[in-house]
Amino acid sequence: MTVIGQIEPIQARARAGIAAVATLDDLRDLEAELLGRRSALAGLKSAMASLSPEERREAGQALNAARTAIAALLGDRRAVLESAEMQRRLEAERLDLTEIPAGSRHGRAPERGHLHVVTQARDHLEDVFVGMGFTVAEGPEVETDWYNFEALNIPSWHPARGMFDTLYVELGEPESILLRTHTSPVQIRVMEGGEPPIFSIMPGRVYRRDTTDASHLPNFHQIEGLVVDRGISFADLAGTIDAFTEAYFGRGIHSRLRPSYFPFTEPSAELDITCVVCEGSGCPTCGRTGWLELGGCGMVHPNVFRAVGYDPEVWSGFAFGFGIDRLAMMRHNIDDIRELVSNDIRFLEQF
Amino acid sequence: MLVPLSWLRDYVDLDLGLDELVVVLAELGLAVESVEHVGQGLDGVVVAKVLDIGPIEGADKIRVVQVDDGDGPAAPVQVVCGAWNFEVGDVVPFARVGAVLPGEFAIARRTMKGVVSNGMLCAADELGLPGVDHDEGILLLDRYLPPGGSFAEAMGIEPDVILELEINANRPDAMSMVGVARDLAARLGVPLRIPEPKVIEDGRAVGDVTTLVIEATDLCGRFVSRVLSGVKVGPSPDWLARRLTLAGMRPINNVVDVSNYVMLELGQPNHAYDLHRVAGHGLRVRRARTGETLVTLDDVERRLVADDLLICDAEDVAVGLAGIMGGASCEIDDHTTEVLLESAWFQPMAIATTSKRLGLRSEASARFERGADPEMATVAAARFCELLTSCSDTPISVASGMLDRVGDLDQREPVRLRTARVNALLGTMLHDEQISSHLGALGFGATLVGEGVHDVRIPSWRPDSSVEVDLIEEVARLHGYTAIPKTVPSSPHFGRLSAYQQDRRLVRQILVGAGASEAWCTTFLAPVDLQRLGLAVDEAVVVANPLAAEESLLRTSLLPGLLASVAYNESHRNAGVALFEIGRAFRRPVDGGPLPDEREMVAVALAGRDATEAVSTWMVLVEGLGVRDVRLVADAAPALHATRTARIVVGGTVVGWVGEVDPVALASLAIAERVGWLEIDLAVLLGLPHGEGRYRPISRYPSSDVDLAFVVADRVPAGEVEATLREAGGELLVRLGLFDVYRGAPVPSGHRSLAYAIRFQAPDRTLTDDEVAHARRGLIEAVEAAHGAALRA
């Protein structure tokens, strides 16, 4: 039988063998058998030495073609087997992702903690004002009478002192050092420590001599703002408050100013916003007025400017302030401020 | 302040709806806090006469009552009633079937114990009548009222609206019906009707029947007295009693009621004395003598000091605390026939000081301490005379004239107001005329004295106005805050958080990422909170006037608060909480300064975890913040575990403590778990260099790993071994980690094996085996030499 004549049966056997292989290991063995040094094709190649040059060329071409064809078959079969193997592996690795013990290790705290809801509100407020070109100022929580009252146009005899239920500490002269009743002392420190233009907010903890109940704590959080520049007007105050209101609460929530009285501002105003519950149509939360009282504001009183050495004929400005805790409570429907200081993990984890 | 709308309408025409009125009042700065409707729901309530009362079988609380509701005794109506305060012949209010009483209370035919009830006999509160005790039973009416008539008509009750106004502290003028009406009239552009009392005098000169001496002219700016004779004390007419009731004051008798009425109407407090009980029939106004006492109308003996102002009789005995409360000795009673009336102006600060010191506040002091109108004293006195005369069945004779003494009153100069300043401060474009017209409507007389310059006369009832900006506020108030345009000024600054503020947020995020939740603990502590943890009490700042003992100190550490929170959670079956807080801690001043040593601390409490986890948390912060040169030095601190605590030193500065809470401290709070603890002075930590990482090229050459285990005495901290390794390893040491600690045979007791995984790598070449071996030897020699350690075979 000619060399060429033997190729075809070898190829046929190879084709059948390859198709019958079921595992990658068997395929690797079969590959050695079909194409290795001791394979039938290798035997034929050595047998070609006895052929004429013409026949040798022809047989060589046929052998190569057969090799290539078998290699291709092996490759195809390997791909099929590899794919099946991967299918088996994936199937074996199947996981039910909803059966994993969730978030806790044997009843311990979850892997990730939670920021306090008041911090979240404060960060959000800071971000809105930073976006409007404000910086964030801070100051001591225990203050002198001067920073908390005198410099703010509230001399010791002023009846407005009664508006603040002040907690004093036993340092220095009686009633000379106190727990700040608002963050306004920071306004004084900012003005003393720098020059206009000032665009600053003052968030922080403040204190009142209040009995703890559903809406009062002796310590709570407030944010105030101060803008001082040439030509700042009440219109700027109203516009800034409005811009903030929309940025913080969203479109559809507006602000309204109405006359009020604070010793450190004049004209002074109460700051109302569209009721966030009914969006202005009137509901029990807003006493059917469509408005919620948010805080106070006004034009910085000339006496405050004089206290820090600013000429009120040159500089004008406005200030505003409101409670952070109440905002957080409004946003999350919390109806008792004592929840904020409970530090109950079941509360903290909700936010 | 309670303002009945019907009363307000005496002084101003209000041609607008209630909702609109509420908005206008808010825009005037007279915020409406509540709106109450009264006298409604009385349709179907009639006057009825009780004809018969009988028992109901099997019932001991209710009875069957027959009433005549207008169809005569022959056609009685049967009702069942649970009240027992009436008898046959009484006349009572009767709600017929179909009536809807205040509070949407619908009256229907009902059957009780088998007896049909065709309506309801009513108590005062069921009819929405204010100021009457609820448990008095059925309201008893005048027995001569004819049955069947409308109850509301019989009682002169008209539907009314009571507005509760919030009056700002600077607006004593608005603490009266006329004052509120004045603002409304100005805003609405309608006339204001102020009472112009007319008094018929009897020809006796008032100076002949009473005397008046003002000694303390600095505290008493004006004092008017008048005398009324032939007074018969009795109940006030219904209309007056009803107005007082609606305005929140209890009717007492005609003299007291008229006095209160005049105060509510005009804002002028005044006081009526029984002239016969005033020794010498005269008054003297002087400062109190220290230690002097006075029994006030509320029957409390008040001990006085020299700055208190007294009204005394002609024999110099105190009969009243000026501007605050009268004395009991000259009180009006049923036998009073002659009234001495006081209508005065007292210095606000003096009244405020005395009122505050005595803790005694009254409607009068509330007005005087904010500033009454000195010009109103005479008007109010006349109004009192006029009203009491008209409210009396018997003729009253008023002595002619009044004693009117003027003390020290500030001369109020006109205030200069610049139109340009108004517009600059408000952001408006008002003309001179608009400004003077706004001010004029409120009673401020503005005269143009130059282009854009007004001289403004301040009305006597506006003590709050004395400088230009006060007038600008008035212009804004009348113009309307909502009519002022809105503009947004642009900041010339880049808005940003300071580096400290950014880092503080980062600290929070890192701790949240590490599994801790943020707590908010109160700043206040009780001494016991510190004592039971073994923390010093004498370092704490003391609150001078706390409301509760739990609020008597400021915290010196975040530990007591966070531990209390751990205890709370543990006791609510939530063991293992991880809590952190960032907040201020306070200690008494150290440098002699006025303010406490106040520091912003960050603290972490890890319940159910030990000191090692606290250290891990600290290391997460170190990594996250890029803090360098950190050492932990074993140390002891109050309230912390004696053998599991370390000082944290960063670059030579102590920044805080890490470890575990003292088991004794935990036991004092009944905490069963271990609590890992970390507390850092945030400002100190963030003040040290951190986070400014410089790029170091990453070596492209292979690295070599070596493990080394040393037997080291227990007294040598692993941290020091590590420091030695780092120093000895130099540049080639790129990774170093403690991966195993072993105690037990064959390691000698008092020692442990510390195993480190070490990686060497050069930035510029592949290290040869010799180089690696050399570096390895260097580490071994260094550790052996420095710590008496031995390489473990």
Side-chain angles (χ1 to χ4, degrees), chain B residues 569-764:
Chain B
N569 280 292
E570 200 188 85
S571 70
H572 287 74
R573 296 170 44 78
N574 286 303
V577 295
L579 298 174
F580 79 95
E581 182 178 12
I582 294 181
R584 310 277 177 90
F586 306 81
R587 281 169 205 274
R588 300 183 65 82
V590 281
D591 53 0
L595 294 181
D597 178 18
E598 180 174 334
R599 290 161 184 273
E600 187 152 68
M601 311 296 288
V602 55
V604 187
L606 302 169
R609 274 156 281 183
D610 64 15
T612 62
E613 298 214 35
V615 172
S616 301
T617 303
W618 161 242
M619 291 314 294
V620 175
L621 274 177
V622 167
E623 278 296 311
L625 290 170
V627 176
R628 293 182 293 273
D629 193 11
V630 176
R631 281 190 305 135
L632 301 186
V633 182
D635 202 347
L640 299 185
H641 194 297
T643 59
R644 292 186 166 197
T645 296
R647 232 177 325 134
I648 301 174
V649 183
V650 176
T653 305
V654 178
V655 301
W657 296 83
V658 66
E660 218 171 292
V661 178
D662 178 19
V664 177
L666 293 177
S668 77
L669 290 165
I671 296 173
E673 314 162 87
R674 287 182 180 276
V675 177
W677 181 251
L678 170 67
E679 185 164 17
I680 295 160
D681 187 319
L682 197 57
V684 170
L685 175 67
L686 296 179
L688 297 170
H690 66 278
E692 294 140 19
R694 282 276 173 93
Y695 165 71
R696 272 173 304 140
I698 294 157
S699 173
R700 268 180 268 275
Y701 296 92
S703 54
S704 302
D705 288 351
V706 170
D707 288 351
L708 290 177
F710 296 98
V711 174
V712 188
D714 282 338
R715 67 184 151 72
V716 178
E720 289 182 16
V721 176
E722 189 174 318
T724 303
L725 287 168
R726 276 196 199 286
E727 199 187 326
E731 246 198 350
L732 295 185
L733 181 71
V734 295
R735 188 184 290 177
L736 172 65
L738 178 67
F739 71 88
D740 188 42
V741 180
Y742 173 74
R743 284 184 175 82
V747 176
S749 74
H751 292 67
R752 79 284 202 202
S753 160
L754 300 171
Y756 292 92
I758 291 155
R759 175 169 291 178
F760 294 115
Q761 190 178 29
D764 53 355

Side-chain angles (χ1 to χ4, degrees), chain B residues 175-247:
Chain B
M175 296 175 79
S176 68
M177 303 301 154
V178 163
V180 173
R182 180 185 290 114
D183 266 16
L184 280 170
R187 179 60 182 263
L188 300 172
V190 297
L192 173 70
R193 293 183 295 269
I194 299 180
E196 290 169 7
K198 289 175 187 61
V199 183
I200 298 160
E201 301 174 335
D202 61 10
R204 291 179 296 157
V206 71
D208 292 344
V209 284
T210 187
T211 58
L212 177 61
V213 178
I214 313 292
E215 272 182 27
T217 51
D218 55 334
L219 302 184
C220 178
R222 190 158 194 187
F223 200 109
V224 169
S225 52
R226 299 194 70 143
V227 171
L228 299 86
S229 306
V231 174
K232 186 166 178 291
V233 175
S236 294
D238 286 346
W239 69 267
L240 195 148
R242 178 163 169 78
R243 278 195 168 177
L244 286 182
T245 305
L246 292 177

Side-chain angles (χ1 to χ4, degrees), chain A residues 113 141 168 197 209 234 236 266, chain B residues 425 470 487 493 512 544-545 598:
Chain A
E141 291 174 11
Y168 293 91
R209 194 164 181 269
F234 193 93
D236 293 326
E266 188 160 18
Chain B
L425 204 62
D470 299 330
T487 53
H493 304 304
V512 163
N545 56 336
E598 180 174 334

Side-chain angles (χ1 to χ4, degrees), chain B residues 444-468:
Chain B
F444 292 78
T447 311
L448 210 57
V449 293
E451 204 185 319
V453 180
H454 314 256
D455 271 353
V456 181
R457 198 177 36 76
I458 311 294
S460 58
W461 59 84
R462 292 302 300 268
D464 59 314
S465 293
S466 58
V467 295
E468 187 179 38

